[in-house]
Amino acid sequence: MAKRSTTTEPAIDSTEQKIFDAAHEVFSQKGMDGAKMQEIADRAGINKALLHYYYRSKEKLYEMVARAILNKAVSAVREVLEKEMPLEEKIRRFIETYIGVISRNTFIPLFIISEINKHPERFFATILPQDLPKPHLFFQQVEAEIAAGRIRPIKPQHLLVHIISMCVFPFVGKPMMAVLLGMRPAKMQTFLKERTAEVTQFVLAALRPQ
Amino acid sequence: MAKRSTTTEPAIDSTEQKIFDAAHEVFSQKGMDGAKMQEIADRAGINKALLHYYYRSKEKLYEMVARAILNKAVSAVREVLEKEMPLEEKIRRFIETYIGVISRNTFIPLFIISEINKHPERFFATILPQDLPKPHLFFQQVEAEIAAGRIRPIKPQHLLVHIISMCVFPFVGKPMMAVLLGMRPAKMQTFLKERTAEVTQFVLAALRPQ
DNA sequence: GTCTATAACTCGATAGAC
DNA sequence: GTCTATCGAGTTATAGAC
């Protein structure tokens, strides 16, 4: 078996990388149970045996992919949440970058959430990254602004959850929303593009002191 | 095979009902692919053969369960959205009943969303109910209030999506939120109970004119 | 490293006794 | 109606040639 150092990235067009990319596509769309090794092999343009040659088992391959997905999501949140900048700017930037990441990778949140639900043990034991974003600084900033009377009183945890929900959910539940709103795909596309501005405006309006 | 009239409810403690309940649990947690007939049989306290005796195939059993879940979700939304009442009251009631349903059935939205993603054809063809809630009346009300200067201008579709997102997402993504906020299950429970009040307050604040 | 062939296993479904 | 036993399709995983 190819013993691969985790720290060294495999070459872009190596078989190993092609397998990983194919697995990424299939797992992120169908989850662990729905994904089939045959489909991954087909997409990678190789045969099943090679999957096992590079990544011993389906389980192992899955873990690799799942970790990569998680890391992407986590670093996007941390990027903004932990930086030093004025609250309003932080909120604007958070919404913008977060919606950006999600809209370019719609499957991420659904993947994470589904897999936590189906296999919580595995998820927390082997997939969740060690160093999660710390929202502490953000909470302190909110408290400070409230104390200074520059924003309406609100529990900072709820504010964060409000924002994340409005950023993520419309993309996760896109087909549902489309049906409810009676929008065809093209119109839905336009609608989702407006979200960044709409969410920002909504949040800032809700925070304006009485 | 037992020919069951769809209109007549089977007795509460009948084998048929026990199977349905077990299937409901397992399917709602693991989806179509993740669910195993053996597990359903075990939970129902019977053997696999009986599942097929009552519900010909896994697919059929799944459809029954999925339709029941969908109907529950849909009727909850319609209940409030289509009734005649002042906008502020409607918003309050919508948030309250919607969070109520979701918190008593956390799995519903995730189930719907995952299954749409994995098997869109089946979902739209055989599971989605015919008569979906019509948000039209709600949209008109919002436009009217804006015209009268009683609320800040906002696109009604976005308002509805904001509200739904803030109601649903924290429950769907509960484990993720708990990790991010660093809350243990008990604290998370308390936190989610506060959502009704917090979301209501937030939305009304964001709509206040000027 | 990559392939073909096949073993080993999982799981939905059916046959047939009671 | 309910059970045990088993079939057969589909899937993961391995053996072994090249």
Side-chain angles (χ1 to χ4, degrees), chain B residues 2-5 8-22 44 50 54-55 61 64:
Chain B
K3 213 56 223 147
R4 180 169 81 84
S5 140
T8 318
E9 291 294 306
I12 272 278
D13 247 352
S14 66
T15 301
E16 185 170 1
Q17 185 63 40
K18 279 192 293 191
I19 291 174
F20 186 87
D21 293 343
L50 269 190
Y54 284 102
Y55 303 85
L61 178 52
M64 293 283 190

Side-chain angles (χ1 to χ4, degrees), chain B residues 3-62:
Chain B
K3 213 56 223 147
R4 180 169 81 84
S5 140
T6 320
T7 46
T8 318
E9 291 294 306
I12 272 278
D13 247 352
S14 66
T15 301
E16 185 170 1
Q17 185 63 40
K18 279 192 293 191
I19 291 174
F20 186 87
D21 293 343
H24 193 283
E25 272 188 67
V26 178
F27 277 129
S28 59
Q29 196 190 334
K30 314 206 170 172
M32 172 67 176
D33 298 321
K36 300 291 169 260
M37 294 294 262
Q38 186 62 60
E39 186 177 352
I40 295 175
D42 291 347
R43 286 215 204 195
I46 47 106
N47 65 347
K48 276 193 300 180
L50 269 190
L51 300 182
H52 290 90
Y53 175 77
Y54 284 102
Y55 303 85
R56 254 173 53 73
S57 67
K58 183 182 181 183
E59 181 85 19
K60 290 254 182 298
L61 178 52
Y62 172 79

Side-chain angles (χ1 to χ4, degrees), chain A residues 108-122:
Chain A
I108 287 184
L110 183 54
F111 176 84
I112 297 174
I113 293 166
S114 306
E115 298 304 308
I116 294 183
N117 248 269
K118 276 187 243 174
H119 311 282
E121 340 67 39
R122 173 172 59 200

Side-chain angles (χ1 to χ4, degrees), chain B residues 6 26 37 43 51 53 67 72 79 86 94 97 114 118 126 131 144 164-165 167 170 173 176 179 181-182 199 202 207:
Chain B
T6 320
V26 178
M37 294 294 262
R43 286 215 204 195
L51 300 182
Y53 175 77
R67 279 215 198 87
K72 200 169 192 174
E79 187 62 13
F94 182 80
T97 62
S114 309
K118 274 187 243 173
T126 70
D131 58 334
I164 294 178
S165 300
C167 290
M176 256 176 76
V179 170
L181 299 176
V199 172
F202 193 75
L207 291 180

Side-chain angles (χ1 to χ4, degrees), chain A residues 15 46-47 49-50 53-54:
Chain A
T15 301
I46 46 105
N47 66 348
L50 269 188
Y53 174 76
Y54 283 102

